[in-house]
Amino acid sequence: MSDVSTTGHWDQFMEGIWRQNPVFVMVLGMCPTLAVTVSAVNAISMGVATTFVLACSCLLVSMMRNVVPKEVRIATYIVIIATFVTAVDYIIQAISLALYDALGAFIQLIVVNCIILGRAEAHASKNRPAVATYNALGMGVGFTIGLLALGSVREVLGAGTLFGVSLFGANFQPWVIMVLPPGGFFVLGAWLLFFAWHARRKERQLREAGQHA
Amino acid sequence: MSAEHLPIDQAPATPTGAMIRTLGLVSAICGLIIVGAYQGTYDAVAANKRIAMERAVFKVVPAAKSIEEYLAKADGGIAKAGAETPAGAIRFFAGYDEAGKLVGVAAEGSARGYADIVRVMFGYDPACQCVRNIGVVSMRETPGIGDKILVDRAFLENFKELDARLTADMKALANEIKTVKHGSKTGAWQIDAIAGATITSRAVGRAINDTAQALLPRLAPNLDKIGSKS
């Protein structure tokens, strides 16, 4: 990441989705990841809310990067992040109270989501607004994909539905533990296992290809 | 290399005024964004809250076509509800049919469940002096266990005609509404608990009983006042 401003916007965007996925690669933001992913709808809503806060705060942090003195930068970032969280809190209440109740305290807790402060400090404060925003959007979408991967598996196994649509009919006996807190750990563990296996397999293939050559 | 690209520990010290100015500027911008978001969403949020409440009332008083909100005050009087609830007063909704005749009353009760407070809305039918239909306003009970109070058919059967008659002097309920262990219901005022979800079932019973004990004695002498739509 030595000269990020010269890499394309698309690369900036893709970074958070795959190479540095916040959930599966950096394993950041685990509090909302484990807590709200009991259904696919919750997962997507939480992901969209976080993406909104992430993109808006990184844009503003990046625009102000030359006027914010280093001594007060963390205070500034937190105020900026808290502002957009408050805005998203009102917006979700305006869209749906049921969704607001389902996400509960985790909307306000976006303030302390380490992905956002991490992006503001490590990336947005050093890059031009467009670059920072693309990178933040990619991270947000990557986070949403991570949440959705957990949320859909947990909803299918724990409630027999996906996006609220019943998949198996009335006789399905739900595997309730999957929508309880332990289920979050089980499913996250399974996904991390899958990604580690995938990474190792790719590494082995590369090594074998190197040997053949 | 300009100052902004220097590593942090080599950059020149910032004057106090600049720091305060920056924080002030950032706070002002953020303040504007927050107030804008609040005012921009205020009407939609208020409408959503009203719709959610009305939906809960219409669910427990299905015959109602319109509703009015009232307060049963601590001195025994009944008044139209305003934005604020005075101390000791109980908020309730009167449901009216198309002709403007009272068909039921809805009120909210709450009690501690397994995970958090369970808030239930229940419908009271003055004609049979009984509780008919319940709905949940909010709860955080265990999915698949406690939240069965919403869907368990046998449990909801309890609220077809749950006895809530008053004593002759109209000071309290003739029989306390009580949740009993699954399978041991004997009276029409008892609620048969869901097997495995006794704590949540009990919370529902307590929530209804607490509100009914306080509200119904105040409501009974005033029924004619709210008997038809004003």
Side-chain angles (χ1 to χ4, degrees):
Chain A
M1 242 184 16
S2 56
D3 193 6
V4 271
S5 46
T6 55
T7 43
H9 290 165
W10 180 248
D11 278 357
Q12 285 295 332
F13 182 73
M14 287 310 288
E15 187 172 278
I17 293 179
W18 188 249
R19 278 192 307 279
Q20 289 200 38
N21 185 290
V23 177
F24 297 127
V25 181
M26 300 201 284
V27 200
L28 289 178
M30 285 299 108
C31 167
T33 303
L34 292 167
V36 302
T37 54
V38 293
S39 70
V41 172
N42 280 9
I44 288 200
S45 322
M46 188 68 194
V48 170
T50 310
T51 307
F52 173 82
V53 176
L54 193 53
C56 293
S57 16
C58 282
L59 176 66
L60 196 53
V61 164
S62 174
M63 279 162 60
M64 302 188 76
R65 72 190 187 284
N66 293 334
V67 293
V68 175
K70 62 181 193 303
E71 292 85 351
V72 292
R73 66 185 197 289
I74 303 290
T76 314
Y77 302 159
I78 286 289
V79 171
I80 291 173
I81 295 167
T83 300
F84 288 110
V85 171
T86 312
V88 96
D89 188 279
Y90 288 130
I91 293 169
I92 292 180
Q93 281 189 63
I95 294 170
S96 161
L97 280 180
L99 182 63
Y100 185 74
D101 284 340
L103 296 179
F106 293 98
I107 299 169
Q108 289 90 324
L109 284 177
I110 298 176
V111 179
V112 287
N113 188 319
C114 48
I115 300 168
I116 300 172
L117 189 58
R119 276 297 102 184
E121 165 76 359
H123 194 275
S125 62
K126 301 185 180 82
N127 287 285
R128 286 181 293 114
V131 176
T133 311
Y134 275 108
N135 185 276
L137 279 175
M139 282 289 161
V141 174
F143 184 61
T144 311
I145 291 172
L147 292 189
L148 186 62
L150 263 84
S152 45
V153 170
R154 290 179 72 187
E155 188 182 342
V156 168
L157 297 177
T161 59
L162 188 61
F163 291 102
V165 180
S166 176
L167 294 179
F168 308 115
N171 289 329
F172 177 71
Q173 199 63 45
W175 192 5
V176 174
I177 195 157
M178 284 303 169
V179 289
L180 298 178
F185 288 96
F186 293 153
V187 177
L188 178 67
W191 276 114
L192 289 177
L193 197 68
F194 170 76
F195 280 104
W197 168 80
H198 181 268
R200 198 170 287 186
R201 198 178 71 134
K202 210 171 158 191
E203 206 173 277
R204 201 175 54 229
Q205 280 172 348
L206 277 177
R207 212 173 38 233
E208 280 168 7
Q211 279 168 359
H212 286 304
Chain B
M1 206 180 207
S2 62
E4 78 218 35
H5 290 125
L6 281 172
I8 278 168
D9 50 356
Q10 286 172 29
T14 314
T16 316
M19 287 194 268
I20 291 175
R21 219 169 29 240
T22 311
L23 283 175
L25 175 72
V26 169
S27 306
I29 295 174
C30 290
L32 282 177
I33 296 175
I34 291 178
V35 173
Y38 176 76
Q39 299 208 319
T41 57
Y42 183 84
D43 290 336
V45 174
N48 265 349
K49 286 188 175 159
R50 203 180 53 242
I51 290 168
M53 191 54 96
E54 283 178 359
R55 199 175 287 155
V57 173
F58 283 123
K59 184 175 173 257
V60 296
V61 189
K65 288 284 175 284
S66 63
I67 53 174
E68 298 264 342
E69 204 173 349
Y70 288 97
L71 289 172
K73 289 188 289 187
D75 62 9
I78 299 259
K80 274 264 168 75
E84 291 190 8
T85 310
I90 303 165
R91 215 167 247 275
F92 69 93
F93 300 86
Y96 299 96
D97 63 7
E98 276 152 347
K101 197 171 147 293
L102 182 73
V103 285
V105 168
E108 199 190 305
S110 61
R112 173 152 280 284
Y114 184 73
D116 202 351
I117 304 286
V118 178
R119 288 170 61 200
V120 290
M121 179 76 83
F122 64 91
Y124 171 76
D125 185 347
C128 71
Q129 293 202 33
C130 61
V131 169
R132 288 187 199 268
N133 303 312
I134 58 160
V136 171
V137 180
S138 73
M139 66 165 170
R140 295 203 191 286
E141 301 299 279
T142 319
I145 303 173
D147 70 354
K148 275 196 200 156
I149 55 168
L150 277 173
V151 290
D152 191 290
R153 291 228 173 106
F155 184 70
L156 293 176
E157 199 69 23
N158 287 305
F159 306 100
K160 280 263 161 73
E161 206 173 317
L162 183 71
D163 187 356
R165 271 173 303 148
L166 294 172
T167 52
D169 61 0
M170 298 207 293
K171 286 273 188 315
L173 293 184
N175 300 291
E176 188 188 349
I177 294 173
K178 206 170 164 48
T179 304
V180 295
K181 226 176 120 194
H182 180 66
S184 61
K185 173 171 171 159
T186 50
W189 55 89
Q190 288 176 334
I191 301 169
D192 193 15
I194 301 174
T198 314
I199 296 176
T200 311
S201 309
R202 279 208 189 117
V204 172
R206 258 198 330 273
I208 296 175
N209 185 60
D210 289 353
T211 302
Q213 295 278 15
L215 173 66
L216 298 186
R218 290 183 204 172
L219 187 64
N222 292 303
L223 267 180
D224 51 328
K225 283 188 200 155
I226 59 163
S228 56
K229 199 173 173 193
S230 50

